[in-house]
Amino acid sequence: METRLLKKDGLGDALRRLAAAKRVLGPVKDGDNVVFGPVTGSQGPLLGFANTRNAPKNALFPHTETLVRYTRTPKGVEAVGEGDEPAETVLLVRPCDAQSFLLLDRVFDQPGCRDPYYVGHRERATVVALACPQPPYAACFCTSVGGEPVPGAPEGVDVLVTDLGEEVLAEFLTEKGAALLSFFEGPAAGAEAAARKEQVREAARAAIRSQVPASEVKPILQKNFDHPFWAGLHGKCLACGTCTYLCPTCHCFDISDEVKGDDGVRLRSWDSCMFPLFTKEASGHNPRSSQKERWRQRVMHKFRYIPENFDLIGCVGCGRCVLNCPVNLDIRKIVQDVSKI
């Protein structure tokens, strides 16, 4: 593993050079918000940010994506083109969002069931994780769901960048990461830098105040599908979908066709289990006819079904849903309440 020790102001220079040479997505200013979007070489990414309002999953699992283009002929429907070619991209993300990619990998890149569109984006993406020496928000709870604000050598990350105070440690963990070495000018880091990183790591872990028993509720959920608890959970939910659209791990989608004349495209777009029409069948029957069933599904999916299927919790503790729910539904409190059933 290669390492570099940069002066703190040198990190911004390195990332600006990177953005001038490659397609880079990361934290950028958009009005009063910091969002995940294209980074320009002239301005560079915002490094003093908490976390982006939207999750980076759009880079690997686009909000709307063309799957195939087709045309109608006298002989029938013929495919005339595939979706857009995924671009080589560098993603500047927080550790919680890098952890979310591992779950998306399990969903879309299973043996014998590989989604070529997701896999294409993933193979062309280099993940640079910017560690969190201080938790971005009071709503953060990554340590409760298997994450860390300053991870050791995280799976799925190509370059890990850790703020050590006056200097920054860059660790190049994979071949993809090593390909970016030329953009990070500085000496190789030694044992002293590694020891300082461990100190920062311990302090960052201790600074996460929200503790949620996320790993303990699966057996409780297995036994309480019909518990009265679910009847009181959903009362103020607006079914707006904010929680699912901002979530880095939610991956429900719909497929639709748009046709003009003889030409058409087949599109995949995000969907939400919070929407009333999500499970409505062609017969008119809806197995989740009320927000009670939809909220039960959301909690069961993240904290029971995904752990059973993929051995990962379906939440990375980023806190976006907590901060942005218009009626203040808090997934941390929900999990706490489930643990007391």
Side-chain angles (χ1 to χ4, degrees), residues 119-138:
V119 171
H121 291 294
R122 186 69 158 113
E123 289 178 343
R124 291 167 176 79
T126 301
V127 178
V128 179
L130 307 173
C132 303
Q134 294 292 327
Y137 302 112

Side-chain angles (χ1 to χ4, degrees), residues 45-63:
L46 294 174
L47 297 179
F49 75 108
N51 203 352
T52 56
R53 183 179 180 88
N54 56 326
K57 72 177 177 184
N58 189 55
L60 305 181
F61 173 44
H63 184 281

Side-chain angles (χ1 to χ4, degrees), residues 92-115:
L92 306 179
V93 303
R94 291 297 191 187
C96 56
D97 289 325
Q99 183 182 345
S100 76
F101 296 160
L102 297 182
L103 176 60
L104 296 178
D105 289 347
R106 305 279 179 94
V107 173
F108 290 112
D109 192 8
Q110 301 180 52
C113 188
R114 303 185 80 206
D115 183 291

Side-chain angles (χ1 to χ4, degrees), residues 95-253:
C96 56
D97 289 325
Q99 183 182 345
S100 76
F101 296 160
L102 297 182
L103 176 60
L104 296 178
D105 289 347
R106 305 279 179 94
V107 173
F108 290 112
D109 192 8
Q110 301 180 52
C113 188
R114 303 185 80 206
D115 183 291
Y117 308 97
Y118 174 86
V119 171
H121 291 294
R122 186 69 158 113
E123 289 178 343
R124 291 167 176 79
T126 301
V127 178
V128 179
L130 307 173
C132 303
Q134 294 292 327
Y137 302 112
C140 293
F141 59 102
C142 64
T143 53
S144 296
V145 289
E148 284 196 62
V150 181
E155 183 184 354
V157 171
D158 300 299
V159 182
L160 177 63
V161 178
T162 306
D163 186 346
L164 301 181
E166 295 182 358
E167 295 174 305
V168 174
L169 174 65
E171 299 172 272
F172 300 84
L173 307 174
T174 67
E175 290 185 8
K176 278 185 182 179
L180 303 182
L181 268 166
S182 61
F183 296 97
F184 294 80
E185 298 176 354
E192 191 264 343
R196 285 160 60 194
K197 178 192 171 182
E198 284 304 309
Q199 293 175 350
V200 171
R201 185 180 179 189
E202 291 296 327
R205 188 186 294 118
I208 300 290
R209 299 301 182 189
S210 288
Q211 300 296 322
V212 179
S215 60
E216 303 171 13
V217 296
K218 184 175 76 168
I220 298 173
L221 293 172
Q222 288 172 329
K223 299 176 182 178
N224 288 283
F225 188 85
D226 294 316
H227 195 280
F229 168 79
W230 304 113
L233 172 62
H234 65 286
K236 60 183 180 180
C237 179
L238 303 177
C240 65
T242 296
C243 54
T244 51
Y245 274 50
L246 295 183
C247 177
T249 63
C250 283
H251 49 268
C252 293
F253 62 85

